[in-house]
Amino acid sequence: MDQLLQHLLNGLLLGATYSLLGIGLTLVFGLMNVVNFAHGEFYTLGAYAAFAALTLASVGFFLAIPLAIAAGALAGAVCERCLLRPLRGQSIDTVMLVMIGVWIAMQNAELLGWGGVAKSVPTPFPTQPVVLGPASVAPLRIFVFVVSGALILGAHLLLARTKLGRAMRATFQDRETAALMGVSIERIHTVTFAFGAGLAAAAGALLGPVFLLYPSMGDLASLKAFSVVILGGLGNFAGAALGGLVLGVAEELGAGYVSSGYRDAVGFLVIVAVLLLRPSGLFARAERVG
Amino acid sequence: MKRAIRALTIALGAVLAVSSGPVRAQEAVKIGVIQPLSGPVAASGNYIRMGAEIARDWINAKGGVLGRKVELLIEDNKSDPKEAATAAEKLIVRDKVPVIVGAWGSSMTLAAMPKLEEYGVPMVVETSSAATITKRGNPWIFRISPPSEMEALGLEKYLKDFGIKQADFLAVNTDWGRGAVGAFGDVLKRSGASVGAVEFMDQAATDMNAQITKVKAGTADTLFLTTSVEQITLVLKQAQEQRLARKVITTGGSSAPSQLIKQAGAAAEGTYHILFFLPWFPEAMPDGKLARAFVDEWAKRGHPFDGLTEGFRGHDGVLTAVEGVRIAGKPDPKAVREALWQVSVMGVNGPIKFEKDGPAGKESGQSKPSIFIVQVKDGKIALPAFAAKK
Amino acid sequence: MNGILLTIALAVIATAPAWVWNPYHLHTLIMAGIFAVLALSLNLLLGYTGQLSLGHAAFFGIGAYATGLLTVKLEWSPWLGLLAAIVLPAAAGFVIGRLALKLRGAYFVLLTISFAGCVSLVSVNWMELTNGPLGIPGLPPVEIPLPGLPTLSLRAKSAYYYLVLAAVAVSYLVCLGLIRSRVGRALVALRENETLASSVGIDSTHYLVLAAVISAAMAGFGGGLYAHYTRFVSPEVFLFSYTVTMVIMVVAGGKGTLAGPIVGAVLFTVLPEALRALTSWQWQMLLYGALLVAVLFFMPEGIVPALRAAGPAVRRRGRPS
């Protein structure tokens, strides 16, 4: 029973980070139809940006995170403006391949710039774990959980309640009508991609201190993000948020009770099951997927 | 048209940004080096590269070998066996190196081995720990790192001091991790201790909480950890978070305890580490002066101190390879192979001399490196009491 | 004009071992050939049905392991191993095809990724079967038993080159035959407009499954060729980077064409090696990524379609108006 509680706690904390990774990608993949294989690289960029702010510019920990988000959003905007916009009419595979090229280039640039040695991010939190009954958790991870939740909520509010959010949703639902109503389509595309990249960077800035920084850290993040997007349904924001939690808990329980070697298989099997039984995602209203 | 110009500019810019590679000296003796310089273990590969470069510079400062300079041709195997094999092929065929040092991971080394046999070029294996490398009957392999079995034997004499009754294993899911689990498990069982949980983690995994929770629920008193320093850091931090109170022993020599202390902090306190180099006490190494000189040169070049526990392998690998060329009298691969059997040289780790290992008639060379144990005490590295007095 | 160029090109390719004196370059060509088979197989799905499989490395890997296990553990002949390398992945392709019968687009992509991920984990963890991370070393070389004469071993590079060349030719012909047949026309109809195709009675599931099976079989064949060339099989054959490489070759070469994947395979096998020779290891992959982006910018449809479109334009410009 004790083990179960700790496992569940682990799963929730892990899941929150998966959610954060997923919501950025679901917007870009679901709304813009861009298979963004470089999503993990924006995650990495956010982590290294926070690290740079902390160690090179001696910025405080709590300021480094918004700076990292800004860096990620900016990189995303540049990427959209220079690479994606000119390729707008092209097929999904061409765009995907360009993003793969960006992925390779960004990761190797990071390797060149920062070197392959993993870096540890200093945090102001004590390392003594907080004890919750038979389970325990580090204060830093509680902080990450809370901030992730706040970011997810904030993003949701932005999409649902603000004029910008409405414009975004309108553009992706019906481009022509939105354009007729005065929405600047080009701007919306850039903003959406930047938004997704910024969320990925946020995840990186938050998770960097929990784990370690190294150039290939984004690969696993990309994969988990795609899994979460499918679980929750393409373009389904709430679905991604919940999907992340589901994936985290499923992986944790699988690794804890079945086999640690096959841990990632749990995630894959969940995806396969969802795709076969309820392909529009666990939390979506039924929609055509074929 | 605009797009074409833009694309051409990008391409041109990319090509111009790269100055072509270093001008190759015509008469230098070329030693091939294959390491993982990118990907998840890029740090380790780069440390070994740095150590190799120090060896090269020292050798050249003393006049080189056979009156010629030593040049290192460094290839990245990207932790991919196909790349390791291709890199070996390129080094042997295009660059005509008489000997190679590599390739870090056991799968990489195994993938390159058929090329060695095909072209008849020897390779000095500096890190790989899989037993099969020297047992496969490939007479072109000369290993200076210990296979997991040898490492476990090195621990055996301290087992009573550790007082292990039951041990759990948490290892990276590669040939190295699995080999270590098997080798150390055998040694434990021979001495009357038992093996508890055996858990694995993917090489790229960052969250090991599930495995730690499982280990915590067991009754073992010790946890053996076999993986690279990054994952050890994460495991220790997460173990601290879950309040796992166990004796921790890391194996494999890739634990870089200084880096561990810096990044894991109090979580690393009390942990033991099996290493093959003691950069904190270089005078305790078989050749104290050489070890001290290596540590100083490393620091002079601004390399991170944490990399020393692995970087020395690059030095010893190149040292051995060059010595082979020297004894052979010419940079000819077959002559170098014969010569490597006669190598008896003092490396940073200790004496390097090859013994036969593997099936008769096709033996590989295996040296017997020195093995040490250290402990993290009060935030510093110390020799455990029982090890110090031996 | 076109015919003469083609004949010269074919003659050059056919006699390569004679004038490519550097075995390392021959090695690169052999790898390019193996990847050409893989790219052709992926093109069947991607170019002709429009469905993207990002788990194609799984079929490649299953083929490699099939022949590896049978020839090393059971000591079968490599030819039987190669046969198994075709049949077993085909069965997997059938399963995937049927499982995915209701999925299209991004959902199909993710199913294939998950499939590849699972297979990869099995190869790493099921030690008893696959030897796990240690891999299966020591695959035997392919040999042709000649009655009355000593066995002709294809171990040497020049010999293996011809085997791979034959494989590329066979794969190309299979694809060509398929595309020109009723099956091919049905596939193209499905790619262009599935609803319309179904409405005229084309059973989309049946044809997609068929495409998946043939595609998987061909990829498995490539895996078998790879295994007997490198003579070492390990879980790294399931690396996502292999799939990515295949996709790059198909899309940059020109999907939906038959020459495209071959051109893409040769270009993107030679390119990294050329970069390896020209630059230091730090810049190799960075430049690769940058060049990839540049190629796609310049020629978003792929190289072969761009060259084909340029052809008439060049001819038009050359003609006096």
Side-chain angles (χ1 to χ4, degrees):
Chain A
M1 192 54 200
D2 294 358
Q3 226 188 338
L4 181 63
L5 272 169
Q6 182 74 53
H7 276 309
L8 283 173
L9 184 60
N10 294 340
L12 278 173
L13 292 169
L14 184 63
T17 60
Y18 287 167
S19 298
L20 199 55
L21 281 169
I23 54 178
L25 187 60
T26 204
L27 288 177
V28 168
F29 193 6
L31 300 186
M32 293 174 66
N33 214 24
V34 171
V35 186
N36 184 9
F37 273 113
H39 192 71
E41 290 312 306
F42 291 108
Y43 166 84
T44 309
L45 180 71
Y48 274 110
F51 178 74
L54 279 167
T55 55
L56 298 176
S58 300
V59 164
F61 182 77
F62 298 101
L63 188 52
I65 297 177
L67 281 177
I69 298 179
L74 183 62
V78 167
C79 183
E80 201 283 331
R81 182 70 191 75
C82 302
L83 288 177
L84 293 176
R85 191 181 298 187
L87 292 174
R88 184 89 78 225
Q90 296 302 331
S91 69
I92 185 174
D93 328 298
T94 307
V95 175
M96 177 184 71
L97 225 62
V98 169
M99 294 320 290
I100 288 178
V102 171
W103 171 26
I104 297 175
M106 270 177 90
Q107 189 170 127
N108 281 280
E110 250 133 26
L111 183 61
L112 200 60
W114 293 100
V117 183
K119 308 229 185 288
S120 165
V121 180
T123 79
F125 292 95
T127 50
Q128 266 306 97
V130 169
V131 180
L132 302 165
S136 50
V137 61
L140 172 64
R141 296 225 288 165
I142 300 182
F143 169 72
V144 168
F145 187 75
V146 168
V147 174
S148 304
L151 281 171
I152 294 174
L153 191 62
H156 169 73
L157 288 173
L158 192 144
L159 275 180
R161 299 286 165 84
T162 68
K163 208 166 126 201
L164 179 62
R166 270 201 298 280
M168 280 162 75
R169 281 181 290 135
T171 308
F172 297 117
Q173 238 166 34
D174 189 334
R175 214 172 123 143
E176 265 124 35
T177 313
L180 284 172
M181 303 297 270
V183 174
S184 158
I185 305 298
E186 299 297 321
R187 217 191 70 167
I188 292 297
H189 274 269
T190 309
V191 166
T192 308
F193 197 82
F195 192 52
L199 281 171
L206 285 171
L207 289 176
V210 174
F211 300 126
L212 292 170
L213 266 58
Y214 46 94
S216 49
M217 62 192 283
D219 293 349
L220 199 61
S222 271
L223 191 62
K224 299 296 179 191
F226 277 105
S227 313
V228 170
V229 165
I230 278 302
L231 259 182
L234 274 175
N236 185 334
F237 194 87
L242 283 170
L245 290 174
V246 167
L247 184 64
V249 172
E251 264 189 21
E252 182 69 23
L253 291 177
Y257 291 107
V258 181
S259 155
S260 49
Y262 282 104
R263 183 206 178 104
D264 290 326
V266 171
F268 290 130
L269 287 172
V270 167
I271 298 202
V272 171
V274 168
L275 281 175
L276 295 179
L277 300 172
R278 209 179 142 74
S280 44
L282 287 177
F283 309 105
R285 284 181 293 275
E287 64 171 65
R288 208 189 125 85
V289 302
Chain B
M1 192 56 199
K2 233 174 45 173
R3 231 204 283 168
I5 295 183
R6 190 190 345 215
L8 267 174
T9 322
I10 296 174
L12 215 63
V15 170
L16 282 174
V18 171
S19 35
S20 50
V23 176
R24 308 223 187 282
Q26 282 308 95
E27 333 127 339
V29 169
K30 300 185 227 177
I31 312 280
V33 176
I34 304 178
Q35 290 293 313
L37 299 169
S38 58
V41 292
S44 303
N46 277 288
Y47 291 148
I48 294 178
R49 174 184 60 84
M50 295 172 194
E53 284 164 352
I54 292 182
R56 171 200 61 196
D57 295 338
W58 277 354
I59 293 169
N60 284 340
K62 293 205 205 94
V65 67
L66 305 175
R68 298 149 69 155
K69 287 239 173 287
V70 169
E71 186 184 337
L72 295 180
L73 297 182
I74 303 175
E75 292 293 332
D76 179 8
N77 67 32
K78 306 187 183 68
S79 290
D80 181 350
K82 164 167 96 60
E83 291 292 315
T86 303
E89 179 121 30
K90 174 206 173 256
L91 286 170
I92 294 172
V93 173
R94 189 172 172 274
D95 304 314
K96 307 220 186 327
V97 300
V99 60
I100 302 178
V101 176
W104 202 83
S106 300
S107 314
M108 271 55 81
T109 304
L110 283 167
M113 277 164 64
K115 300 284 178 194
L116 303 175
E117 243 178 321
E118 181 181 348
Y119 293 107
V121 174
M123 184 157 88
V124 176
V125 176
E126 87 299 334
T127 308
S128 306
S129 63
T132 54
I133 290 174
T134 42
K135 299 254 191 282
R136 280 198 61 75
N138 186 323
W140 301 91
I141 288 287
F142 292 85
R143 175 157 58 177
I144 58 173
S145 52
S148 301
E149 289 74 18
M150 211 182 264
E151 209 190 313
L153 284 176
L155 178 72
E156 201 166 22
K157 54 184 187 282
Y158 300 118
L159 272 183
K160 254 212 307 269
D161 297 297
F162 274 117
I164 302 174
K165 293 209 189 35
Q166 187 187 50
D168 293 325
F169 285 90
L170 179 54
V172 64
N173 202 353
T174 62
D175 44 80
W176 169 37
R178 288 190 178 260
V181 167
F184 283 90
D186 288 341
V187 160
L188 280 175
K189 288 185 207 138
R190 269 208 306 266
S191 74
S194 65
V195 172
V198 174
E199 298 296 321
F200 293 100
M201 49 202 159
D202 184 83
Q203 198 176 37
T206 48
D207 189 299
M208 274 69 76
N209 281 296
Q211 291 91 325
I212 294 173
T213 306
K214 243 164 127 177
V215 162
K216 189 170 163 196
T219 53
D221 50 72
T222 308
L223 174 65
F224 278 91
L225 202 45
T226 305
T227 181
S228 58
V229 60
E230 290 84 10
Q231 278 194 318
I232 297 178
T233 308
L234 293 171
V235 169
L236 290 179
K237 276 169 65 164
Q238 288 161 16
Q240 180 189 45
E241 187 174 341
Q242 293 195 35
R243 295 168 299 144
L244 181 78
R246 295 256 197 288
K247 194 161 35 222
V248 173
I249 304 178
T250 74
T251 81
S254 298
S255 52
S258 305
Q259 185 176 335
L260 205 57
I261 295 175
K262 273 201 294 235
Q263 295 184 343
E269 185 63 27
T271 53
Y272 294 91
H273 306 274
I274 297 181
L275 297 173
F276 313 118
F277 180 39
L278 300 172
W280 315 269
F281 323 109
E283 288 75 16
M285 302 295 297
D287 184 341
K289 266 181 43 200
L290 174 62
R292 161 61 60 191
F294 185 71
V295 172
D296 291 340
E297 179 67 24
W298 186 275
K300 212 165 74 173
R301 295 181 180 218
H303 294 331
F305 182 84
D306 311 325
L308 276 164
T309 47
E310 283 193 88
F312 80 92
R313 300 200 226 236
H315 171 276
D316 285 357
V318 169
L319 181 72
T320 308
V322 169
E323 182 66 8
V325 173
R326 190 188 69 76
I327 295 178
K330 50 184 169 153
D332 167 72
K334 292 166 191 45
V336 172
R337 188 185 81 86
E338 301 294 325
L340 281 168
W341 285 110
Q342 296 161 41
V343 160
S344 176
V345 73
M346 182 61 86
V348 171
N349 166 271
I352 298 174
K353 193 167 159 54
F354 294 106
E355 287 167 15
K356 290 189 191 266
D357 192 9
K362 298 192 284 176
E363 293 92 347
S364 313
Q366 174 72 56
S367 178
K368 274 190 90 170
S370 325
I371 298 176
F372 309 93
I373 300 186
V374 299
Q375 189 187 19
V376 175
K377 246 181 144 26
D378 304 320
K380 288 205 261 294
I381 308 292
L383 287 169
F386 53 79
K389 60 175 175 325
K390 286 211 168 63
Chain C
M1 190 60 204
N2 237 346
I4 300 177
L5 274 173
L6 195 60
T7 319
I8 296 179
L10 284 175
V12 160
I13 294 172
T15 56
W19 52 267
V20 177
W21 58 89
N22 189 331
Y24 166 61
H25 294 322
L26 198 54
H27 161 83
T28 308
L29 285 178
I30 292 176
M31 292 303 292
I34 293 176
F35 271 96
V37 172
L38 293 172
L40 280 169
S41 79
L42 183 63
N43 186 36
L44 265 182
L45 270 180
L46 179 55
Y48 289 101
T49 68
Q51 297 302 318
L52 172 61
S53 160
L54 278 185
H56 229 63
F59 302 124
F60 169 68
I62 293 176
Y65 264 99
T67 188
L69 286 170
L70 289 172
T71 55
V72 172
K73 292 206 176 170
L74 294 182
E75 298 191 10
W76 281 20
S77 143
W79 292 104
L80 286 176
L82 281 173
L83 190 64
I86 296 176
V87 169
L88 279 164
F94 179 74
V95 170
I96 293 293
R98 286 217 66 87
L99 275 183
L101 48 86
K102 292 276 183 300
L103 301 175
R104 297 290 182 272
Y107 301 92
F108 184 74
V109 171
L110 279 141
L111 179 72
T112 56
I113 295 182
S114 306
F115 170 66
C118 285
V119 175
S120 167
L121 283 168
V122 166
S123 79
V124 169
N125 285 292
W126 196 353
M127 302 281 299
E128 298 77 35
L129 179 67
T130 65
N131 228 11
L134 270 159
I136 306 173
L139 267 79
V142 177
E143 290 166 342
I144 306 180
L146 298 168
L149 296 167
T151 321
L152 177 66
S153 167
L154 295 180
R155 190 176 163 137
K157 275 214 191 34
S158 29
Y160 212 82
Y161 173 82
Y162 284 112
L163 178 66
V164 170
L165 194 60
V168 174
V170 166
S171 308
Y172 178 82
L173 290 170
V174 166
C175 288
L176 190 66
L178 200 65
I179 298 308
R180 293 236 175 107
S181 73
R182 250 186 72 201
V183 176
R185 285 198 292 277
L187 289 178
V188 173
L190 283 170
R191 179 187 74 195
E192 295 305 318
N193 191 330
E194 187 169 340
T195 330
L196 183 59
S198 312
S199 74
V200 299
I202 296 181
D203 180 352
S204 52
T205 308
H206 169 76
Y207 284 106
L208 282 175
V209 171
L210 186 62
V213 167
I214 299 180
S215 172
M218 206 179 278
F221 184 44
L225 285 172
Y226 172 82
H228 283 288
Y229 177 59
T230 57
R231 310 210 334 267
F232 176 68
V233 182
S234 67
E236 279 87 1
V237 293
F238 294 108
L239 277 175
F240 191 58
S241 62
Y242 283 101
T243 299
V244 169
T245 305
M246 282 185 237
V247 172
I248 291 176
M249 290 169 177
V250 173
V251 176
K255 64 181 193 282
T257 68
L258 279 182
I262 300 182
V263 168
V266 173
L267 182 65
F268 286 96
T269 306
V270 170
L271 188 64
E273 294 309 316
L275 286 172
R276 191 202 296 271
L278 284 172
T279 77
S280 61
W281 57 270
Q282 289 107 324
W283 290 93
Q284 184 195 15
M285 292 316 283
L286 179 53
L287 283 180
Y288 180 83
L291 284 170
L292 177 62
V293 173
V295 165
L296 285 163
F297 239 74
F298 202 1
M299 301 176 269
E301 293 290 316
I303 297 174
V304 168
L307 289 177
R308 286 207 183 129
V314 167
R315 255 178 273 142
R316 251 180 281 127
R317 248 182 265 138
R319 214 170 293 155
S321 48

